[in-house]
Amino acid sequence: MRTSKPCFACETGTVRGTNLRGRAFDYRDEVDLVFDEDVELPVCDACGEMPLNAAATKRLNDVLERLRAERKRSAVAQFIETIGREYPTIPRAAWEQALGLSPGYLSRLASGNRLADTSLEILLGGFAKDPGAVIELIEATGHMPKLLMTHLARAKRPRRGLTPA
Amino acid sequence: MFNHKCLVNGPKNGLTRLQRMAKTGCAVVHWERAIDPTSRRLGISATEAQHYALETVQRLVATDYVEPVQQRGVWFDIYALYRDRLGWFVKIGEDDDGLLVISHHEPEKGSLSTLPVSWSRWLSQLPRSNQLGERDENVQAVFCV
């Protein structure tokens, strides 16, 4: 590929080799995945379009797929950390039942053997920020299993918001 | 039988030639208007989306053709087709790097009119070498009056 060439997308810019580190991508079901490797790819200096051959696409793909997987695993990790901190007496199985997950699924998500789908990722991430809101949501939809209801009653922790400092 | 306007607006690039480049991978596919929208639409990775776009090019037929468009002095051809029950807008051309896939996404501006059925009959009656294939200059001589 030539060093620089005209951009056919915006018809005004020039496509040049550009380091992608720091560029944010909305990729698949994730937003603002910040590129964290030094990878030089052809980029238009006006519109940001990237004309990619197979090798360049694979390079970009490898980084974005890794970032996407890390984002999803992070949501799971934050959820697990939150339930461990806020509701240490409630077994993980109770949460899995409430979320409609098979037993052990949270562990598989945490280990990276599976990736959470978008809606589950949103739910887990929301729980980490405001557990009470998600618990109320589950209650409102009528999906609160008796197991979790019993444990929450025993936990005697504030239902809404995180533990006060 | 064919009006002058239709003849002038025929494909500017040999489809068979572009399809050969798609098959061999001598191709560049744009991220913002092709790979990324395909990846989102189908829920697949970027690499898979690029393969999908190149496969779409290989599946194009003459009757998928819509119109040509010139961008920065280079002619591109617009095609429209259904694939996997989804409508696709495809814009392709060629430069020094081979096949250029500028666009491969959901149609954004309403329906697209492809080559009429009467044209497909006419095209199928042409000698094989003139069917948007190897001897494209003959076809272009007809189209680009």
Side-chain angles (χ1 to χ4, degrees), chain B:
Chain B
M1 187 180 177
F2 305 106
N3 62 48
H4 180 264
K5 195 173 177 184
C6 288
L7 292 175
V8 166
N9 288 332
K12 302 297 185 185
N13 300 278
L15 182 58
T16 305
R17 175 182 167 78
L18 296 185
Q19 287 174 324
R20 209 180 305 128
M21 288 191 274
K23 188 171 182 180
T24 59
C26 180
V28 161
V29 185
H30 279 209
W31 171 261
E32 295 283 349
R33 302 295 287 158
I35 298 175
D36 190 42
T38 302
S39 164
R40 289 172 187 284
R41 200 175 187 200
L42 301 178
I44 57 179
S45 71
T47 304
E48 290 164 334
Q50 191 193 46
H51 288 155
Y52 190 94
L54 293 178
E55 256 186 28
T56 301
V57 173
Q58 293 175 65
R59 291 177 183 218
L60 291 173
V61 294
T63 46
D64 294 331
Y65 176 72
V66 176
E67 63 181 359
V69 60
Q70 194 173 34
Q71 294 176 206
R72 289 196 103 157
V74 176
W75 280 104
F76 294 91
D77 295 314
I78 294 173
Y79 290 83
L81 76 160
Y82 278 99
R83 184 182 173 191
D84 295 328
R85 298 186 185 179
L86 295 172
W88 294 95
F89 173 99
V90 183
K91 190 192 295 183
I92 54 177
E94 181 183 352
D95 75 349
D96 296 345
D97 297 312
L99 164 68
L100 282 177
V101 182
I102 303 292
S103 297
H104 181 275
H105 53 72
E106 182 178 6
E108 294 170 341
K109 297 176 182 174
S111 60
L112 295 157
S113 298
T114 54
L115 210 58
V117 172
S118 56
W119 280 66
S120 71
R121 277 197 225 112
W122 173 71
L123 278 172
S124 67
Q125 286 162 14
L126 282 178
R128 188 180 163 81
S129 61
N130 290 86
Q131 292 184 24
L132 293 173
E134 300 293 336
R135 298 177 63 182
D136 295 325
E137 63 275 11
N138 293 325
V139 176
Q140 291 208 359
V142 173
F143 279 117
C144 304
V145 171

Side-chain angles (χ1 to χ4, degrees), chain A residues 61-80:
Chain A
N61 176 89
D62 289 348
V63 177
L64 290 179
E65 285 290 324
R66 173 178 58 77
L67 291 171
R68 177 175 177 260
E70 284 172 4
R71 176 75 64 83
K72 288 183 178 295
R73 280 198 293 272
S74 171
V76 176
Q78 286 173 26
F79 173 81
I80 291 172

Side-chain angles (χ1 to χ4, degrees), chain A residues 7 11-12 20 40-42 57 60 67 81 86 89 97 105 109-110 114-115 119-122 130 139 149 162:
Chain A
C7 178
E11 300 189 69
T12 54
L20 292 186
E40 184 166 303
L41 291 179
T57 302
L60 182 65
L67 291 171
E81 191 268 336
E86 299 297 320
T89 59
Q97 190 181 13
Y105 195 75
L109 290 177
R114 289 270 192 281
L115 285 182
S119 45
L120 179 60
E121 181 193 346
I122 290 170
D130 191 342
E139 268 184 321
M149 213 179 304
L162 298 178

